[in-house]
Amino acid sequence: AQTVTQSQPEMSVQEAETVTLSCTYDTSENNYYLFWYKQPPSRQMILVIRQEAYKQQNATENRFSVNFQKAAKSFSLKISDSQLGDTAMYFCAFMKPSSPTFGNEKLTFGTGTRLTIIP
Amino acid sequence: EAGVAQSPRYKIIEKRQSVAFWCNPISGHATLYWYQQILGQGPKLLIQFQNNGVVDDSQLPKDRFSAERLKGVDSTLKIQPAKLEDSAVYLCASSLEGGGAQETQYFGPGTRLLVL
């Protein structure tokens, strides 16, 4: 079974600064997908960024980027130029691809990191 | 494009009572998921539907939880009878089609259940 560990329950950073959220995972799979989801206080979970394990290049989405270290099973999220709207719970998640006939495999989530951006 | 809709947003019941949650996925999305998110934890998958068929219900407590998606669109999740430990947020998500993790799961706002 896959496990996802987020060792930072809470973090805070000044607006406009850069912050890095940590995530490690455990799996015996070679091919898989990793995600960072954001859950603002309104509780609507939103996908921030995704990474395919077979890709060596780290994914980026505007101010969000990841540092994917496959051998170390580490998947950290870096938020640059942080904004007040970045305040939320951030969840790291793992997905093992299943057979096409069965649709998407389930997401396995970590326990989350509560990020607060300070004005 | 309308997102995933869920109702009710909040529900308070006493233990041993029954409760039902409703989810309307994004139009055209074949895959629907129900997750349970206990306070302080990440969401945990309860059941996954592909159209109106169950793909994965291995973590659904079948003695008290049931779910259906009769016409392959809307879904209901029922708890009967509820226990104190069922207090959680129940999240519904949907994705376009099966076949790989390249498809994003879109989440609804969730239903917060408190069992007293």
Side-chain angles (χ1 to χ4, degrees), chain A residues 33 35 37 39 42-45 47 50 91 95 97-112, chain B residues 9 33 35 37 40-43 45 48 50 55 59 89 91 95 98-105 107-109 112:
Chain A
Y33 301 81
F35 305 81
Y37 276 86
Q39 191 176 38
S42 67
R43 291 213 168 261
Q44 195 105 21
M45 193 89 72
L47 178 66
R50 62 184 294 142
F91 291 96
M95 179 189 288
S98 61
S99 165
T101 59
F102 291 99
N104 285 339
E105 183 57 84
K106 66 181 180 184
L107 287 164
T108 299
F109 288 88
T111 53
Chain B
R9 293 296 307 276
Y33 313 79
Y35 289 87
Q37 186 177 16
Q41 300 181 19
L45 180 74
Q48 175 185 342
Q50 182 77 9
V55 173
Q59 298 191 83
V89 176
L91 296 169
S95 62
Q102 66 272 17
E103 295 167 21
T104 298
Q105 292 187 26
F107 284 81
R112 184 187 295 270

Side-chain angles (χ1 to χ4, degrees), chain B residues 16-31:
Chain B
R16 291 187 291 273
Q17 286 187 326
S18 302
V19 65
F21 313 128
W22 174 81
C23 172
N24 186 16
I26 294 173
S27 177
H29 280 197
T31 310

Side-chain angles (χ1 to χ4, degrees), chain A residues 9-10 12 14 19-20 22-23 25 35 45 48 55 59 73 77-78 84 90 93-94 96 110:
Chain A
E10 294 188 27
S12 60
Q14 293 289 135
V19 61
T20 298
S22 301
C23 172
Y25 58 94
F35 305 81
M45 193 89 72
V48 175
K55 291 186 177 179
K73 296 181 181 176
L77 174 69
K78 185 173 82 171
L84 296 179
Y90 285 81
F94 174 100
K96 174 175 69 69

Side-chain angles (χ1 to χ4, degrees), chain B residues 35-103:
Chain B
Y35 289 87
Q36 180 192 57
Q37 186 177 16
I38 294 173
L39 186 65
Q41 300 181 19
K44 180 187 77 173
L45 180 74
L46 291 176
I47 189 167
Q48 175 185 342
F49 291 94
Q50 182 77 9
N51 296 307
N52 60 351
V54 175
V55 173
D56 183 354
D57 63 356
S58 57
Q59 298 191 83
L60 186 74
K62 298 180 185 65
D63 58 332
R64 298 184 299 106
F65 286 65
S66 63
E68 60 182 12
R69 193 185 184 200
L70 292 176
K71 296 183 179 179
V73 181
D74 294 5
S75 177
T76 56
L77 176 69
K78 297 179 182 179
I79 308 175
Q80 180 179 8
K83 292 185 176 181
L84 297 177
E85 59 260 36
D86 298 332
S87 294
V89 176
Y90 291 85
L91 296 169
C92 180
S94 69
S95 62
L96 185 60
E97 185 57 78
Q102 66 272 17
E103 295 167 21

Side-chain angles (χ1 to χ4, degrees), chain A residues 57-72:
Chain A
Q57 187 173 7
N58 288 325
T60 63
E61 287 287 342
N62 300 315
R63 298 183 295 107
F64 299 88
S65 62
V66 298
N67 183 6
F68 173 50
Q69 301 290 329
K70 191 173 184 180

